[in-house]
């Protein structure tokens, strides 16, 4: 429209007619940008603005109202985007390890370790303990918090019987040490066949090693005995 108004003003009415036939949506973003570009330009461009004003009047609106609405929407979008960027920066700077441990009920339960050792460990070790609790809960009817409480209960019993300085008074004794089977029985953990086999192989490594050799020897011997030796070969061998 601006080009036509400058080069061939008499043809501007045809362009406006084409726009009218296309029936553009009278949304605030379109009206605001349309008015911003045409206002203050050639007097001939007042005609399309008049047509827009007439279209809006059918809905009880004006160009000024839609421009104000669009400005408010853009301001709200800028505030929203600014808040989003600020939130992302906050999330980036946040110590997620501290957040997870602060919100974890399992973590708070394990910190009741009667030996007082758990809270002094580094994050990687504490995280390992929590993963053991999570794994045990998957094979038990108890929740992770209940499994952690069972471990604390066993540690307290160990502290009462052997003293707070004994290994049995530390919750880790029942999560990654020799007390693990006891905790599994207390939590009624159901071990998979593969896990049970791994446990047995760790307890009796020599038996597993010798058993594998004997099995392979028996299979190899059975294969040789199962083959048929040619009669001619046997006769020549006997001579």
């Amino acid at each position: 429209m601006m080009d036509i108004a400058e080069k061939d003003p008499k043809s501007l009415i045809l362009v406006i007619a084409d726009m009218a036939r296309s029936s553009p949506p009278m949304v605030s973003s379109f009206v605001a940008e349309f008015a911003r570009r045409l206002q203050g330009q050639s007097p001939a461009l007042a005609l399309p603005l008049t047509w827009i004003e007439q279209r809006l009047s059918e809905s009880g609106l004006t160009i000024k109202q839609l421009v104000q609405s669009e400005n408010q929407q853009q301001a709200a979008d800028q505030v929203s985007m600014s808040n989003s960027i600020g939130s992302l920066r906050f999330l980036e700077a946040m110590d997620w390890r501290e957040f997870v441990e602060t919100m974890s009920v399992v973590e708070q339960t394990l910190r009741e370790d009667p030996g007082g050792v758990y809270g002094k460990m580094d994050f990687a070790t504490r995280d390992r303990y929590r993963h053991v609790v999570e794994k045990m809960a998957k094979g038990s009817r108890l929740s992770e918090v209940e499994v952690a409480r069972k471990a604390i209960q066993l540690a307290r019993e160990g502290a009462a019987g052997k003293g707070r300085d004994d290994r049995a008074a530390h919750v880790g004794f029942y999560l990654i040490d020799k007390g693990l089977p006891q905790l599994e029985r207390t939590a009624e953990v159901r071990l998979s066949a593969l896990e049970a086999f791994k446990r047995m192989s760790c307890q009796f490594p020599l038996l597993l090693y010798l058993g594998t050799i004997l099995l392979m020897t028996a299979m190899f011997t059975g294969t040789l005995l199962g083959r048929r030796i040619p009669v001619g070969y046997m006769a020549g061998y006997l001579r």
Side-chain angles (χ1 to χ4, degrees):
M1 289 183 184
M2 294 172 64
D3 291 340
I4 294 297
E6 182 180 355
K7 298 177 181 178
D8 190 11
K10 63 180 180 298
S11 300
L12 181 60
I13 189 65
L14 300 177
V15 179
I16 298 174
D18 290 338
M19 181 183 68
R21 281 194 297 268
S22 67
S23 186
M26 296 292 108
V27 295
S28 59
S29 56
F30 167 72
V31 173
E33 184 67 12
F34 190 85
R36 184 185 70 83
R37 287 176 176 266
L38 298 188
Q39 283 179 343
Q41 301 295 328
S42 171
L45 293 175
L47 183 58
L49 290 175
T50 302
W51 179 83
I52 292 289
E53 193 76 53
Q54 290 175 350
R55 280 289 308 273
L56 292 175
S57 64
E58 297 174 0
S59 303
L61 299 173
T62 63
I63 292 179
K64 183 178 179 180
Q65 290 175 340
L66 290 187
V67 170
Q68 290 178 346
S69 174
E70 179 64 17
N71 291 338
Q72 292 173 356
Q73 183 62 45
Q74 289 185 4
D77 291 342
Q78 290 177 354
V79 173
S80 177
M81 185 60 66
S82 176
N83 291 337
S84 299
I85 294 174
S87 299
L88 291 175
R89 288 175 177 170
F90 172 76
L91 293 176
E92 181 183 10
M94 187 174 184
D95 188 348
W96 283 100
R97 298 188 302 179
E98 180 181 356
F99 173 78
V100 170
E101 289 193 335
T102 302
M103 301 302 295
S104 173
V105 182
V106 173
E107 171 68 17
Q108 304 308 317
T109 303
L110 294 178
R111 283 183 177 272
E112 298 176 10
D113 176 28
V117 178
Y118 179 83
K120 299 177 182 179
M121 292 179 168
D122 57 18
F123 176 84
T125 305
R126 294 196 301 270
D127 191 52
R128 180 186 176 190
Y129 283 15
R130 291 192 296 267
H131 279 300
V132 173
V133 172
E134 178 184 1
K135 183 178 180 181
M136 292 182 66
K138 290 180 179 179
S140 172
R141 292 177 297 179
L142 303 180
S143 65
E144 294 183 23
V145 177
E146 291 172 331
V147 171
R149 293 193 185 282
K150 292 289 185 182
I152 291 296
Q153 180 182 353
L154 292 176
R156 287 174 176 171
E157 293 174 359
K162 301 181 180 180
R164 299 175 66 91
D165 296 332
D166 192 82
R167 288 191 306 168
H170 173 43
V171 68
F173 180 76
Y174 304 96
L175 292 175
I176 61 172
D177 206 345
K178 295 180 179 180
L180 179 60
Q182 183 180 355
L183 177 59
E184 289 176 339
R185 290 192 299 269
T186 303
E188 300 179 358
V189 177
R190 299 179 296 276
L191 297 177
S192 62
L194 179 60
E195 187 66 24
F197 179 76
K198 288 182 179 179
R199 294 286 180 85
M200 185 183 68
S201 63
C202 292
Q203 293 178 358
F204 308 101
L206 181 60
L207 178 61
L208 178 65
Y209 178 71
L210 295 178
T212 303
I213 294 178
L214 291 175
L215 178 61
M216 294 180 65
T217 303
M219 293 175 60
F220 182 72
T221 303
T223 302
L224 292 179
L225 294 177
R227 291 181 178 178
R228 294 182 179 181
I229 303 177
V231 177
Y233 176 81
M234 285 296 296
Y237 178 77
L238 292 175
R239 293 196 197 98

